[in-house]
Amino acid sequence: MSDRKNITESDVALDVDKLMEEYDKETSSLRKLTGTIGKIAAIIAIAMSCFHLFTAGFGTLLSAKQRSLHVIFAFVLGFIFYPGGKKSKKDRLSPLDYVFIALVLIVFGYLFMFNEQIALKAGSVSQVDLILGILAILLTLEIARRVVGSALPIVAIVFLAYAYFGPNLPGLLAHRGFSIERIVSHMYLGLEGIMGIPLGVSSTFVFLFILFGSVLDKTGVGKFFIDIAYAMTGHFKSGPAMTAVVASGFMGSISGSSVANTVTTGAFTIPLMKKTGYKPYFAGAVEAAASTGGQIMPPVMGAAAFIMAEFTAIPYNKIIIAAAIPALLYYFGVGTMVHLEASKLGLKGLPREELPNAGKIMRKDGYMILPLVIIVFFLLSGYTPLKSAFYAILFSIAIGLIASFAKRDKSFGLKEILSALEAGAKGAVGVACACACAGMIVGVVTLTGLGLRIAELIVSVAGGNLILTLFFTMVASIILGMGLPTTAKYIVLATMAVPALTKLNVNLMAAHLFILYFGVVADITPPVALASYAGAGIAGASPMKTGFQAVKLALAAFIVPYIFAIDPTLILVKEIVGTDIQFVSVFAALPIILSAMLGIVCLGSAIEGYLIDHSKVYERIPLGIAALLLLKPGTVSDIIGLVVLIGVYFLQKQRIKNKEAAA
């Protein structure tokens, strides 16, 4: 126990804020403001959180008003905290920043103040509308460039150009083209461009769930999850690596950010893994792969899940039911790879007497799990995500205050509440800016009908073959995910790739979860691999080596989306009629769940080259083939997979006996 204390206080004494600044693209460029401007920025951020809490509790404004005010808050904070370039000052705003802030107030304040008059215009565009609309597009592109990088605005510019130059394009891509006035009107004045569905979701559900995560963070829930995971898994031969998988699953269920999750839990788990005997790049990869799964782990998942609810018109509480088993199978896949690696290295777990006692932890800090229980209860009871998050935030604050008072340690008070409100608003800026910019992409797709054209093209290239179509969609998801935030990537693919999958009779829910799943995996896929870079930085390892190892760890889980795309029983969906999902029971889905687990173990063993002993080539090849056969659920494929796995198991067991006899 003393050994763990030493580890926690010395080896793990990493500054999480500094790590976030270094490896999170959004946090890394943040200005550090002090003095009057710093106080003003904090007040604006707190006001933004208070506005969203108030509207969540007492009713949102009209869509145009809610979204325009959300944009004003987010863009103003964006121009305050994100400098225009690498050479810009980090401790003050430039004159141009003040100009941009003034323009934001004018351009989007116009939408807020005159939304009724704009609605009565029925699409007609005045000279003032045109000028303000062009400014709105330019401001959106600039703030997206500052906050999430240049890839998303470049994609948006390409789409805007596509809307204008349609008649000059070849084949399926050609369309009649639209005037500047029509494009600007669509992007600015209506609710199908900048102010579209993505921003609508950001201005309601997403903000509240980000704020919920910030409040929980201030209560110390992260350390609680790590301690519980360590108590549960430290005795396994995979020890701290399995702790990372479990703790990251817990944290990911409320975080929804791959990089934040990697840094928060990795600051503790990566040094522990290295101390146990794992190589630095492997330790970083385990944390990155485990943390990335948080974006598909209910109840919170990532921002894209809320947009999925809007795109599909399927209630969010049903989406999290469908997403639960694939998320658990993802972690089963990563855990399997970690266990096999530990077995291959001959590592041992820690004696139970050296581990913290789970019972004591629960008795002391078990109250910290109540906010998660509360939010799941409200979501499954039929409350909207907005109301569920609102009540969960209030309960979290109340629980934190009561616990702090009972312990008399002043660990949670007014200062922490205000800090959570400020951090929640700052954390929402990136999502809001990405959603505003991605809204223009969606706007072009709806204006031109590009989605259906791309769907036809994908199906045509794949020759109508479902597996090939799924493969091409997976590749597109990963490639787009490398350059775009998960939310923006999901929005693009939901409008273009999902129609291709549904055209081949893939279940609507399965199609959306498929692109989300692989877009999330892009966070660990080189060359971008932000979560892998964060893990590598903490571990002191090569980012590329860490990234490829993280992909390898997650590779066994790649089998899962193919299975539920072919047979939606894995996501418990029987059929979808309109917006109503008919679910099957977990018991009815048990055979396909076991089939997926079998496929994961086969593929994991083939990739890792180990089952209970080092595998020979003639053992790895059948295991890999069996895993591929298990992509298509069925009695024959299941029997083949089981026979291969049992056969390799007994071959290796006999080989171990022969080695022991020879020794």
Side-chain angles (χ1 to χ4, degrees), residues 244-566:
V245 175
V246 176
S248 296
F250 284 150
M251 277 300 294
S253 67
I254 58 171
S255 165
S257 167
S258 302
V259 177
N261 199 0
T262 300
V263 169
T264 305
T265 54
F268 293 88
T269 59
I270 290 173
L272 287 170
M273 282 188 268
K274 289 170 65 180
K275 196 173 185 80
T276 307
Y278 288 100
K279 292 176 181 175
Y281 74 88
F282 188 87
V286 169
E287 185 56 57
S291 295
T292 294
Q295 291 190 73
I296 55 171
M297 174 61 81
V300 175
M301 302 172 67
F306 298 100
I307 297 171
M308 185 189 300
E310 290 296 309
F311 276 8
T312 60
I314 295 170
Y316 183 75
N317 59 351
K318 295 187 177 180
I319 287 176
I320 62 175
I321 292 171
I325 290 175
L328 292 172
L329 287 172
Y330 176 91
Y331 280 99
F332 175 75
V334 176
T336 296
M337 297 293 284
V338 164
H339 176 78
L340 293 173
E341 176 71 12
S343 301
K344 190 163 72 172
L345 293 174
L347 301 179
K348 303 291 182 184
L350 294 173
R352 286 187 181 272
E353 57 269 20
E354 292 185 19
L355 296 170
N357 183 282
K360 286 183 180 178
I361 295 170
M362 287 301 295
R363 282 192 294 274
K364 181 188 174 192
D365 296 320
Y367 67 88
M368 288 188 180
I369 206 166
L370 285 176
L372 270 183
V373 174
I374 289 163
I375 200 165
V376 170
F377 169 78
F378 279 118
L379 284 170
L380 297 183
S381 297
Y383 285 79
T384 65
L386 194 63
K387 284 292 184 187
S388 300
F390 173 72
Y391 291 131
I393 289 168
L394 296 185
F395 272 107
S396 300
I397 292 172
I399 290 167
L401 289 171
I402 292 167
S404 179
F405 177 77
K407 291 180 180 180
R408 300 186 181 182
D409 59 3
K410 297 182 179 179
S411 58
F412 190 82
L414 180 60
K415 181 181 177 183
E416 285 70 31
I417 293 170
L418 292 176
S419 179
L421 293 174
E422 183 182 353
K426 284 183 180 179
V429 169
V431 176
C433 295
C435 284
C437 193
M440 293 194 290
I441 297 171
V442 176
V444 171
V445 171
T446 57
L447 189 64
T448 62
L450 178 62
L452 293 175
R453 293 186 178 90
I454 295 294
E456 288 175 17
L457 188 61
I458 292 172
V459 174
S460 175
V461 171
N465 182 281
L466 177 57
I467 296 293
L468 269 181
T469 303
L470 289 170
F471 177 76
F472 290 150
T473 305
M474 176 191 77
V475 172
S477 296
I478 293 174
I479 291 173
L480 268 177
M482 288 180 190
L484 303 182
T486 303
T487 307
K489 183 274 332 167
Y490 168 76
I491 292 166
V492 173
L493 284 171
T495 54
M496 295 192 294
V498 165
L501 298 180
T502 54
K503 208 167 189 179
L504 294 176
N505 298 318
V506 174
N507 178 281
L508 179 67
M509 175 65 73
H512 280 269
L513 284 176
F514 188 91
I515 62 169
L516 175 62
Y517 204 106
F518 284 115
V520 164
V521 171
D523 280 351
I524 55 171
T525 307
V528 180
L530 295 178
S532 295
Y533 287 175
I538 299 169
S542 160
M544 280 297 164
K545 200 170 184 180
T546 303
F548 284 116
Q549 181 63 50
V551 172
K552 183 181 174 184
L553 288 171
L555 205 55
F558 277 34
I559 197 170
V560 174
Y562 284 91
I563 295 174
F564 68 63
I566 294 168

Side-chain angles (χ1 to χ4, degrees), residues 235-246:
H235 64 284
F236 293 165
K237 64 173 65 177
S238 49
M242 196 61 76
T243 298
V245 175
V246 176

Side-chain angles (χ1 to χ4, degrees), residues 164-233:
Y164 184 75
F165 292 107
N168 303 319
L169 297 170
L172 276 174
L173 294 176
H175 62 88
R176 64 186 181 87
F178 296 90
S179 66
I180 297 291
E181 289 79 5
R182 181 75 177 90
I183 294 170
V184 170
S185 171
H186 195 73
M187 296 302 143
Y188 175 59
L189 296 178
L191 296 178
E192 293 184 342
I194 296 171
M195 299 289 165
I197 287 176
L199 194 76
V201 177
S202 172
S203 68
T204 51
F205 315 136
V206 173
F207 187 95
L208 264 288
F209 276 84
I210 290 173
L211 183 57
F212 173 59
S214 295
V215 172
L216 282 188
D217 181 55
K218 298 300 177 184
T219 65
V221 72
K223 185 179 182 303
F224 167 72
F225 282 149
I226 291 166
D227 285 344
I228 280 291
Y230 196 68
M232 290 168 54
T233 62

Side-chain angles (χ1 to χ4, degrees), residues 8 12 15-16 34 80 116 125 156 166-168 193 417 439 443 456 465 480 527 597 616 653:
T8 303
V12 192
D15 189 327
V16 172
T34 56
I80 287 174
E116 292 179 5
V125 183
N168 303 319
I417 293 170
E456 288 175 17
N465 182 281
L480 268 177
M597 293 173 71
K616 307 293 184 184
K653 192 169 185 179

